[in-house]
Amino acid sequence: MSSSKPLSAPPKMSSLSSRGVNSTSSMSPTRASGSLPSNKNPAVPTPTRQPYSSPSYETFAPRTAAQRERMGRVAALTAGPWSSANNEEQKDSSSDFDEPITLTSAMCPPKSSTYNTSSSSNDSTISSVTDQKINNTLQHTINATQNLSTLIKHTASLRLALRASINIANDVSERHSDLLRHSGELSAAAERLQHEEQVLTRRAEEIGKPLKHYDAVDRIGPLVGVLFKEGGRVVVRGIAKLHVDNDEEFVRVLEEIDEAVEFFGEDGGGAEVFGRPGSGGSSSNNRRGGRERTASQQPFQATASGSAEYYRRACALQDAALELLRVGVADRISQTSSQIQDALKLPKVPIAADKLEASLVYTRFHGISRRSNALINIARKRVETLGSGSLAASSYEDFLTLCRNTYCGARETLLTTTIRSHMDILKERHGLVGMTRLASVFLIRLCTVETALYLDFFGDPDKRRQTTKKVKGATSDGDDEKEAEENEGGDDASAFKRLGSSSSHQPGTAIASQILSEDATYRDAEFQSMLGSLCSALHRTIRRGLVSVLDLDVLCQVVSVLREERSAANSTSTTLAAARAVSGVIQDAQERLIFCANTSLHKEVVRFKPTSADLNYPGKLLGEKPKAAIIIEGEEGAGGATKKAEKEEAEINDAVAAQLRVYESWFPPMRSVLRILSKIFRVVEPRVFEDIALSAVQACTKSLKDGSSHILRASGQIHADLFLVKHLLILREQLSPFDIQLRSVERQLDFSEAGKAVSRFLANRNRRLFSMSTENALVTLLREGVSVQESSVDSKRDLEDCLRSACNDFIEHTTSSLLGPISRFVDQCKNASSDGSTDILRKESFMNGIVVKGMFGNAYDNLESELGNVSTQMKLYLENSSTQSILLKPVVRKITRALEEARRFIDEVPNDENDWDTELRDEVLKSASAFETRVKAATSTKQGSN
């Protein structure tokens, strides 16, 4: 039968299907579904998705009934999909062959649940068609299976590669961890080795350092001219092979010597054995300072260690090297100074001041300044490098001090005689005041020049070089502007320059000040002391002149000039020595001025004895009263301008003469006080001036009171009162511009209890004279026997009280003189009615009506003359009309009050008693009213005219 052919296919299909299912079953659905679309074989059509149906193998391998029953139960148990047999039978068999054959359909049996195996005709037909389709399907299946196998293999290889990559990454991570661990270990080992290398290097340096210093001491000795013989017991000085002008080699040798001194002195303990530098004491006159006495001059000690011995040798080498510097600087300065003295015959023959800067005193020193500055700069840099507290630096400091002292001593020797001679010449030619100004200017210039020369020797060239570069641009700009001004000015500018105006040197002075401000070497104590010694010639010359001066004007001019010159000297830091010298002269001049002022005040005020001419008031005022100048104006013509100028000059002269006459009319003590105070106000210290003014005002007030008493006896009460008021007003007015308080506290020792304290001291047997406590008898004696009494003095208040008292006296006396008998009448009435009863007053004789009437009549008749006299005297003494009005107002009030009291007393007397009646009373009251009206009218007329 033909059924054998189709039966051969199922095993192959089954095997393929089983492999495919097994192969794909291990894959995830995602991988399987993702791998199918990757088939790029065009021979294999892409299968279409069919609805899911339970697979059946009945078509290819019919099962027995038992097998089908068992499979049905399995399908029922597994709840798999199962196609209904009725639905499959309804489909036409031809339609089954028309459907496209896919892998799924090929692997599944026909949908029909019945299979007619009995029909042979149908079987052959079906088998041929089926075989063809099966072959095609198998071919497609094989291709698809191969594609799937390829995909599966590729996927498996990718999976294996991924796992290999993961394994490699894990291996790399583990190796990286091992590498980090090994790197850390290597880094720690490297640091440890580096630290050990540093320790070993440091130890090697420590081991080699002593050897280096030992070799340096043994090697440098011949270079500086020092040989150590007999094992170092003998130090021999010779000629040095090293020259100080070879800067690099000499500095290198100094560095090695200094390192050896530091090492052997500090680390080797040599300083403890032979002493530290300068411990033996050093002086500026010693050639090599304290080091040579303490170390190099110490005898050899066999018991000393090698380090201590080499410390002694290193000190000797350093002293020898510094000896070379000393010869090049200090000895050269001393030698140059001696040569200049021999050439110029100093100090016997002084140098002219105008030729001083161009003389050998400056030119020779400028010639040696450059080399000396280079050598000094070597020592300065060594001090800066070593530090001021090091062992080796002290010798350099001693050397620099020696050089400064030598230089300052030489300059002082060369200049002192010339400066003093110039001061004496200026005093002879220009007097004390002129000499003061010229000598101050000369000293300021001398300080500037000496400072510049000192900086040439001891200044820092690096700082000066940097500052010069900074100001170079400013200098060039200033020169360009100066040339432009000279070109514009022409002959006038050149003539101005030839005159040597000080303004032409201002730019250079400013630049020099800027350069000096960078280098403060000129502030050295030795140099400033030398400048002070040179400037002391001014103090010496002026002080000798001040001793013989008694004129306050000259002393005030000297102090004023010195203050101006001190301000000029303080403007720059290079002339502070001149400013200090001028300050000392100012103090001496002020002391002399204060002494002369106190002497004049004591002589002209305190011990003043007035003469009759001094007390001739009002004659002194009348005789010296300013007269009006009579000027005849002519016709202005050709000489009109000349006459006008002469007229103006005459007016000025008359005004000055009038002021002088007023000034001469003052009382001499007050005139002396105001004159002296006005002179010394600007030239003494404020506290000193206030103390002098305090005592002067007190003495002047007392002298005015005494003068008023003499005038009272000579000229009368009104002149005495107006004299005192006038001078006290002038004194207060003239003191107001000084703006001083005139207050002080006077302290005096009171010995009133000293006798009792001495008695208690002698009676006390337990005195405890040597006890260091407050119970000591001597302390108790001083505390109980002597006390300090303080009293406050206010001269301004005393002056005001005195002026107020004088004004009150004038008002009282003027009122009494104007009222005349009316004032006595009022006083008698007050005395009579003091007990409050008017009975006695009525019967008094002075209350008689006729007497009272005659009294008022006489008072009214004398009123005109009294008013005229008061007005005349007030105009004579008091020039200010407002002052006169102020003094007259209280007088009018007192007169009005006295007349009111007189009316009251008159009204208390009844008619028909003591010759009083109505008519007489009216006449007396009218006389009182007329008297009052006349006084008021006179005072109002005076105020209106003023």
PDB file of all heavy atoms in Angstrom, residues 821-822 825-826 850-862 898-899 902-903 906 916 923-925 927-929 931:
ATOM      1  N   PRO A 821      21.712 169.278  99.505  1.00  0.00           N
ATOM      2  CA  PRO A 821      21.085 169.218 100.837  1.00  0.00           C
ATOM      3  C   PRO A 821      19.878 168.291 100.873  1.00  0.00           C
ATOM      4  O   PRO A 821      19.478 167.858 101.958  1.00  0.00           O
ATOM      5  CB  PRO A 821      20.703 170.667 101.108  1.00  0.00           C
ATOM      6  CG  PRO A 821      20.599 171.290  99.771  1.00  0.00           C
ATOM      7  CD  PRO A 821      21.608 170.612  98.909  1.00  0.00           C
ATOM      8  N   ILE A 822      19.276 168.017  99.708  1.00  0.00           N
ATOM      9  CA  ILE A 822      18.103 167.123  99.709  1.00  0.00           C
ATOM     10  C   ILE A 822      18.504 165.744 100.199  1.00  0.00           C
ATOM     11  O   ILE A 822      17.745 165.084 100.920  1.00  0.00           O
ATOM     12  CB  ILE A 822      17.485 167.052  98.295  1.00  0.00           C
ATOM     13  CG1 ILE A 822      17.014 168.429  97.867  1.00  0.00           C
ATOM     14  CG2 ILE A 822      16.360 166.049  98.233  1.00  0.00           C
ATOM     15  CD1 ILE A 822      16.468 168.489  96.455  1.00  0.00           C
ATOM     16  N   PHE A 825      18.704 165.891 103.891  1.00  0.00           N
ATOM     17  CA  PHE A 825      17.365 166.015 104.439  1.00  0.00           C
ATOM     18  C   PHE A 825      16.671 164.651 104.505  1.00  0.00           C
ATOM     19  O   PHE A 825      16.044 164.304 105.520  1.00  0.00           O
ATOM     20  CB  PHE A 825      16.552 166.992 103.580  1.00  0.00           C
ATOM     21  CG  PHE A 825      15.088 167.020 103.911  1.00  0.00           C
ATOM     22  CD1 PHE A 825      14.644 167.645 105.073  1.00  0.00           C
ATOM     23  CD2 PHE A 825      14.157 166.416 103.083  1.00  0.00           C
ATOM     24  CE1 PHE A 825      13.277 167.680 105.378  1.00  0.00           C
ATOM     25  CE2 PHE A 825      12.820 166.443 103.384  1.00  0.00           C
ATOM     26  CZ  PHE A 825      12.369 167.071 104.526  1.00  0.00           C
ATOM     27  N   VAL A 826      16.795 163.873 103.455  1.00  0.00           N
ATOM     28  CA  VAL A 826      16.155 162.540 103.432  1.00  0.00           C
ATOM     29  C   VAL A 826      16.800 161.643 104.480  1.00  0.00           C
ATOM     30  O   VAL A 826      16.091 160.893 105.185  1.00  0.00           O
ATOM     31  CB  VAL A 826      16.256 161.927 102.032  1.00  0.00           C
ATOM     32  CG1 VAL A 826      15.758 160.494 102.034  1.00  0.00           C
ATOM     33  CG2 VAL A 826      15.461 162.746 101.037  1.00  0.00           C
ATOM     34  N   ILE A 850       9.835 176.698 106.141  1.00  0.00           N
ATOM     35  CA  ILE A 850      10.671 177.711 105.485  1.00  0.00           C
ATOM     36  C   ILE A 850      12.057 177.144 105.203  1.00  0.00           C
ATOM     37  O   ILE A 850      12.650 177.381 104.136  1.00  0.00           O
ATOM     38  CB  ILE A 850      10.737 178.969 106.396  1.00  0.00           C
ATOM     39  CG1 ILE A 850       9.335 179.542 106.586  1.00  0.00           C
ATOM     40  CG2 ILE A 850      11.680 179.989 105.790  1.00  0.00           C
ATOM     41  CD1 ILE A 850       9.264 180.688 107.585  1.00  0.00           C
ATOM     42  N   VAL A 851      12.566 176.347 106.142  1.00  0.00           N
ATOM     43  CA  VAL A 851      13.892 175.749 105.944  1.00  0.00           C
ATOM     44  C   VAL A 851      13.873 174.773 104.764  1.00  0.00           C
ATOM     45  O   VAL A 851      14.783 174.746 103.926  1.00  0.00           O
ATOM     46  CB  VAL A 851      14.348 175.039 107.228  1.00  0.00           C
ATOM     47  CG1 VAL A 851      15.652 174.277 106.977  1.00  0.00           C
ATOM     48  CG2 VAL A 851      14.524 176.044 108.360  1.00  0.00           C
ATOM     49  N   VAL A 852      12.829 173.978 104.700  1.00  0.00           N
ATOM     50  CA  VAL A 852      12.714 173.001 103.599  1.00  0.00           C
ATOM     51  C   VAL A 852      12.591 173.723 102.272  1.00  0.00           C
ATOM     52  O   VAL A 852      13.189 173.312 101.255  1.00  0.00           O
ATOM     53  CB  VAL A 852      11.524 172.057 103.843  1.00  0.00           C
ATOM     54  CG1 VAL A 852      11.274 171.170 102.626  1.00  0.00           C
ATOM     55  CG2 VAL A 852      11.772 171.204 105.082  1.00  0.00           C
ATOM     56  N   LYS A 853      11.800 174.816 102.276  1.00  0.00           N
ATOM     57  CA  LYS A 853      11.645 175.560 101.025  1.00  0.00           C
ATOM     58  C   LYS A 853      12.981 176.154 100.580  1.00  0.00           C
ATOM     59  O   LYS A 853      13.354 176.078  99.389  1.00  0.00           O
ATOM     60  CB  LYS A 853      10.623 176.665 101.234  1.00  0.00           C
ATOM     61  CG  LYS A 853      10.414 177.519  99.997  1.00  0.00           C
ATOM     62  CD  LYS A 853       9.392 178.618 100.267  1.00  0.00           C
ATOM     63  CE  LYS A 853       9.225 179.501  99.024  1.00  0.00           C
ATOM     64  NZ  LYS A 853       8.248 180.614  99.288  1.00  0.00           N
ATOM     65  N   GLY A 854      13.720 176.717 101.506  1.00  0.00           N
ATOM     66  CA  GLY A 854      15.017 177.268 101.140  1.00  0.00           C
ATOM     67  C   GLY A 854      16.002 176.188 100.683  1.00  0.00           C
ATOM     68  O   GLY A 854      16.826 176.400  99.778  1.00  0.00           O
ATOM     69  N   MET A 855      15.879 175.029 101.334  1.00  0.00           N
ATOM     70  CA  MET A 855      16.765 173.917 100.946  1.00  0.00           C
ATOM     71  C   MET A 855      16.508 173.486  99.496  1.00  0.00           C
ATOM     72  O   MET A 855      17.454 173.318  98.713  1.00  0.00           O
ATOM     73  CB  MET A 855      16.534 172.735 101.880  1.00  0.00           C
ATOM     74  CG  MET A 855      17.358 171.505 101.552  1.00  0.00           C
ATOM     75  SD  MET A 855      16.791 170.096 102.510  1.00  0.00           S
ATOM     76  CE  MET A 855      15.125 169.898 101.877  1.00  0.00           C
ATOM     77  N   PHE A 856      15.258 173.315  99.099  1.00  0.00           N
ATOM     78  CA  PHE A 856      14.942 172.913  97.720  1.00  0.00           C
ATOM     79  C   PHE A 856      15.343 173.998  96.734  1.00  0.00           C
ATOM     80  O   PHE A 856      15.780 173.717  95.613  1.00  0.00           O
ATOM     81  CB  PHE A 856      13.443 172.596  97.598  1.00  0.00           C
ATOM     82  CG  PHE A 856      13.106 171.170  97.935  1.00  0.00           C
ATOM     83  CD1 PHE A 856      12.709 170.821  99.221  1.00  0.00           C
ATOM     84  CD2 PHE A 856      13.202 170.172  96.965  1.00  0.00           C
ATOM     85  CE1 PHE A 856      12.403 169.521  99.531  1.00  0.00           C
ATOM     86  CE2 PHE A 856      12.886 168.871  97.285  1.00  0.00           C
ATOM     87  CZ  PHE A 856      12.489 168.524  98.565  1.00  0.00           C
ATOM     88  N   GLY A 857      15.171 175.280  97.180  1.00  0.00           N
ATOM     89  CA  GLY A 857      15.579 176.357  96.291  1.00  0.00           C
ATOM     90  C   GLY A 857      17.077 176.356  96.036  1.00  0.00           C
ATOM     91  O   GLY A 857      17.539 176.519  94.886  1.00  0.00           O
ATOM     92  N   ASN A 858      17.860 176.151  97.077  1.00  0.00           N
ATOM     93  CA  ASN A 858      19.322 176.117  96.917  1.00  0.00           C
ATOM     94  C   ASN A 858      19.764 174.912  96.067  1.00  0.00           C
ATOM     95  O   ASN A 858      20.674 175.009  95.222  1.00  0.00           O
ATOM     96  CB  ASN A 858      20.003 176.061  98.285  1.00  0.00           C
ATOM     97  CG  ASN A 858      19.780 177.346  99.082  1.00  0.00           C
ATOM     98  OD1 ASN A 858      19.609 178.428  98.504  1.00  0.00           O
ATOM     99  ND2 ASN A 858      19.783 177.230 100.415  1.00  0.00           N
ATOM    100  N   ALA A 859      19.099 173.769  96.320  1.00  0.00           N
ATOM    101  CA  ALA A 859      19.452 172.576  95.544  1.00  0.00           C
ATOM    102  C   ALA A 859      19.146 172.764  94.061  1.00  0.00           C
ATOM    103  O   ALA A 859      19.947 172.366  93.184  1.00  0.00           O
ATOM    104  CB  ALA A 859      18.702 171.358  96.083  1.00  0.00           C
ATOM    105  N   TYR A 860      18.001 173.412  93.774  1.00  0.00           N
ATOM    106  CA  TYR A 860      17.654 173.625  92.371  1.00  0.00           C
ATOM    107  C   TYR A 860      18.610 174.621  91.721  1.00  0.00           C
ATOM    108  O   TYR A 860      18.969 174.487  90.549  1.00  0.00           O
ATOM    109  CB  TYR A 860      16.214 174.130  92.286  1.00  0.00           C
ATOM    110  CG  TYR A 860      15.720 174.234  90.852  1.00  0.00           C
ATOM    111  CD1 TYR A 860      15.293 173.117  90.150  1.00  0.00           C
ATOM    112  CD2 TYR A 860      15.714 175.477  90.215  1.00  0.00           C
ATOM    113  CE1 TYR A 860      14.857 173.233  88.845  1.00  0.00           C
ATOM    114  CE2 TYR A 860      15.264 175.601  88.897  1.00  0.00           C
ATOM    115  CZ  TYR A 860      14.841 174.458  88.215  1.00  0.00           C
ATOM    116  OH  TYR A 860      14.412 174.570  86.914  1.00  0.00           O
ATOM    117  N   ASP A 861      19.029 175.635  92.531  1.00  0.00           N
ATOM    118  CA  ASP A 861      19.956 176.630  91.969  1.00  0.00           C
ATOM    119  C   ASP A 861      21.324 176.009  91.668  1.00  0.00           C
ATOM    120  O   ASP A 861      21.986 176.386  90.673  1.00  0.00           O
ATOM    121  CB  ASP A 861      20.120 177.789  92.960  1.00  0.00           C
ATOM    122  CG  ASP A 861      18.816 178.578  93.131  1.00  0.00           C
ATOM    123  OD1 ASP A 861      17.965 178.487  92.211  1.00  0.00           O
ATOM    124  OD2 ASP A 861      18.650 179.233  94.174  1.00  0.00           O
ATOM    125  N   ASN A 862      21.778 175.065  92.506  1.00  0.00           N
ATOM    126  CA  ASN A 862      23.093 174.423  92.279  1.00  0.00           C
ATOM    127  C   ASN A 862      23.041 173.251  91.289  1.00  0.00           C
ATOM    128  O   ASN A 862      24.090 172.675  90.947  1.00  0.00           O
ATOM    129  CB  ASN A 862      23.656 173.916  93.612  1.00  0.00           C
ATOM    130  CG  ASN A 862      23.939 175.059  94.581  1.00  0.00           C
ATOM    131  OD1 ASN A 862      24.280 176.174  94.150  1.00  0.00           O
ATOM    132  ND2 ASN A 862      23.798 174.794  95.863  1.00  0.00           N
ATOM    133  N   ALA A 898      14.792 159.383  95.947  1.00  0.00           N
ATOM    134  CA  ALA A 898      15.029 160.310  97.068  1.00  0.00           C
ATOM    135  C   ALA A 898      13.970 161.409  97.098  1.00  0.00           C
ATOM    136  O   ALA A 898      13.474 161.806  98.178  1.00  0.00           O
ATOM    137  CB  ALA A 898      16.429 160.905  96.960  1.00  0.00           C
ATOM    138  N   LEU A 899      13.571 161.964  95.934  1.00  0.00           N
ATOM    139  CA  LEU A 899      12.535 162.982  95.898  1.00  0.00           C
ATOM    140  C   LEU A 899      11.186 162.419  96.325  1.00  0.00           C
ATOM    141  O   LEU A 899      10.390 163.125  96.984  1.00  0.00           O
ATOM    142  CB  LEU A 899      12.447 163.574  94.491  1.00  0.00           C
ATOM    143  CG  LEU A 899      13.680 164.398  94.050  1.00  0.00           C
ATOM    144  CD1 LEU A 899      13.532 164.827  92.600  1.00  0.00           C
ATOM    145  CD2 LEU A 899      13.875 165.616  94.951  1.00  0.00           C
ATOM    146  N   ALA A 902      11.276 162.272  99.988  1.00  0.00           N
ATOM    147  CA  ALA A 902      11.145 163.631 100.560  1.00  0.00           C
ATOM    148  C   ALA A 902       9.696 164.077 100.523  1.00  0.00           C
ATOM    149  O   ALA A 902       9.186 164.684 101.500  1.00  0.00           O
ATOM    150  CB  ALA A 902      12.027 164.600  99.790  1.00  0.00           C
ATOM    151  N   ARG A 903       8.975 163.836  99.441  1.00  0.00           N
ATOM    152  CA  ARG A 903       7.553 164.191  99.358  1.00  0.00           C
ATOM    153  C   ARG A 903       6.747 163.443 100.419  1.00  0.00           C
ATOM    154  O   ARG A 903       5.816 164.010 101.034  1.00  0.00           O
ATOM    155  CB  ARG A 903       7.018 163.854  97.971  1.00  0.00           C
ATOM    156  CG  ARG A 903       7.591 164.704  96.837  1.00  0.00           C
ATOM    157  CD  ARG A 903       6.784 164.474  95.559  1.00  0.00           C
ATOM    158  NE  ARG A 903       7.403 165.068  94.384  1.00  0.00           N
ATOM    159  CZ  ARG A 903       8.162 164.447  93.529  1.00  0.00           C
ATOM    160  NH1 ARG A 903       8.414 163.146  93.713  1.00  0.00           N
ATOM    161  NH2 ARG A 903       8.693 165.076  92.505  1.00  0.00           N
ATOM    162  N   ILE A 906       7.345 165.063 103.717  1.00  0.00           N
ATOM    163  CA  ILE A 906       6.700 166.388 103.787  1.00  0.00           C
ATOM    164  C   ILE A 906       5.207 166.231 103.955  1.00  0.00           C
ATOM    165  O   ILE A 906       4.555 166.990 104.719  1.00  0.00           O
ATOM    166  CB  ILE A 906       7.045 167.194 102.530  1.00  0.00           C
ATOM    167  CG1 ILE A 906       8.534 167.562 102.543  1.00  0.00           C
ATOM    168  CG2 ILE A 906       6.193 168.445 102.422  1.00  0.00           C
ATOM    169  CD1 ILE A 906       9.002 168.200 101.259  1.00  0.00           C
ATOM    170  N   TRP A 916       4.197 175.068 108.550  1.00  0.00           N
ATOM    171  CA  TRP A 916       3.718 174.456 107.305  1.00  0.00           C
ATOM    172  C   TRP A 916       2.280 174.887 107.054  1.00  0.00           C
ATOM    173  O   TRP A 916       1.461 174.952 107.965  1.00  0.00           O
ATOM    174  CB  TRP A 916       3.759 172.909 107.324  1.00  0.00           C
ATOM    175  CG  TRP A 916       5.149 172.356 107.126  1.00  0.00           C
ATOM    176  CD1 TRP A 916       6.011 171.972 108.086  1.00  0.00           C
ATOM    177  CD2 TRP A 916       5.782 172.175 105.872  1.00  0.00           C
ATOM    178  NE1 TRP A 916       7.187 171.538 107.541  1.00  0.00           N
ATOM    179  CE2 TRP A 916       7.067 171.654 106.130  1.00  0.00           C
ATOM    180  CE3 TRP A 916       5.417 172.422 104.551  1.00  0.00           C
ATOM    181  CZ2 TRP A 916       7.970 171.355 105.146  1.00  0.00           C
ATOM    182  CZ3 TRP A 916       6.333 172.089 103.581  1.00  0.00           C
ATOM    183  CH2 TRP A 916       7.586 171.557 103.865  1.00  0.00           C
ATOM    184  N   GLU A 923       4.319 174.897  97.116  1.00  0.00           N
ATOM    185  CA  GLU A 923       5.549 175.450  96.536  1.00  0.00           C
ATOM    186  C   GLU A 923       6.729 174.474  96.659  1.00  0.00           C
ATOM    187  O   GLU A 923       7.520 174.306  95.722  1.00  0.00           O
ATOM    188  CB  GLU A 923       5.887 176.766  97.232  1.00  0.00           C
ATOM    189  CG  GLU A 923       4.912 177.889  96.925  1.00  0.00           C
ATOM    190  CD  GLU A 923       5.275 179.174  97.633  1.00  0.00           C
ATOM    191  OE1 GLU A 923       6.300 179.136  98.372  1.00  0.00           O
ATOM    192  OE2 GLU A 923       4.576 180.171  97.449  1.00  0.00           O
ATOM    193  N   VAL A 924       6.815 173.822  97.826  1.00  0.00           N
ATOM    194  CA  VAL A 924       7.922 172.872  98.023  1.00  0.00           C
ATOM    195  C   VAL A 924       7.784 171.668  97.081  1.00  0.00           C
ATOM    196  O   VAL A 924       8.756 171.219  96.462  1.00  0.00           O
ATOM    197  CB  VAL A 924       7.971 172.421  99.490  1.00  0.00           C
ATOM    198  CG1 VAL A 924       8.986 171.284  99.667  1.00  0.00           C
ATOM    199  CG2 VAL A 924       8.330 173.581 100.403  1.00  0.00           C
ATOM    200  N   LEU A 925       6.549 171.191  96.961  1.00  0.00           N
ATOM    201  CA  LEU A 925       6.330 170.042  96.070  1.00  0.00           C
ATOM    202  C   LEU A 925       6.578 170.413  94.615  1.00  0.00           C
ATOM    203  O   LEU A 925       7.106 169.606  93.828  1.00  0.00           O
ATOM    204  CB  LEU A 925       4.916 169.494  96.247  1.00  0.00           C
ATOM    205  CG  LEU A 925       4.609 168.863  97.632  1.00  0.00           C
ATOM    206  CD1 LEU A 925       3.163 168.414  97.712  1.00  0.00           C
ATOM    207  CD2 LEU A 925       5.553 167.696  97.900  1.00  0.00           C
ATOM    208  N   SER A 927       8.712 172.650  93.667  1.00  0.00           N
ATOM    209  CA  SER A 927      10.176 172.723  93.533  1.00  0.00           C
ATOM    210  C   SER A 927      10.786 171.324  93.355  1.00  0.00           C
ATOM    211  O   SER A 927      11.706 171.114  92.550  1.00  0.00           O
ATOM    212  CB  SER A 927      10.787 173.405  94.761  1.00  0.00           C
ATOM    213  OG  SER A 927      10.306 174.722  94.897  1.00  0.00           O
ATOM    214  N   ALA A 928      10.241 170.336  94.118  1.00  0.00           N
ATOM    215  CA  ALA A 928      10.737 168.959  93.978  1.00  0.00           C
ATOM    216  C   ALA A 928      10.446 168.408  92.592  1.00  0.00           C
ATOM    217  O   ALA A 928      11.307 167.759  91.958  1.00  0.00           O
ATOM    218  CB  ALA A 928      10.117 168.062  95.045  1.00  0.00           C
ATOM    219  N   SER A 929       9.244 168.707  92.096  1.00  0.00           N
ATOM    220  CA  SER A 929       8.898 168.227  90.744  1.00  0.00           C
ATOM    221  C   SER A 929       9.763 168.889  89.686  1.00  0.00           C
ATOM    222  O   SER A 929      10.213 168.255  88.719  1.00  0.00           O
ATOM    223  CB  SER A 929       7.416 168.477  90.464  1.00  0.00           C
ATOM    224  OG  SER A 929       6.605 167.794  91.398  1.00  0.00           O
ATOM    225  N   PHE A 931      12.736 170.050  90.141  1.00  0.00           N
ATOM    226  CA  PHE A 931      14.085 169.471  90.277  1.00  0.00           C
ATOM    227  C   PHE A 931      14.173 168.132  89.523  1.00  0.00           C
ATOM    228  O   PHE A 931      15.117 167.878  88.756  1.00  0.00           O
ATOM    229  CB  PHE A 931      14.392 169.275  91.759  1.00  0.00           C
ATOM    230  CG  PHE A 931      15.803 168.882  92.041  1.00  0.00           C
ATOM    231  CD1 PHE A 931      16.770 169.831  92.315  1.00  0.00           C
ATOM    232  CD2 PHE A 931      16.195 167.547  92.023  1.00  0.00           C
ATOM    233  CE1 PHE A 931      18.073 169.479  92.571  1.00  0.00           C
ATOM    234  CE2 PHE A 931      17.493 167.184  92.269  1.00  0.00           C
ATOM    235  CZ  PHE A 931      18.444 168.156  92.554  1.00  0.00           C
TER     236      PHE A 931
END
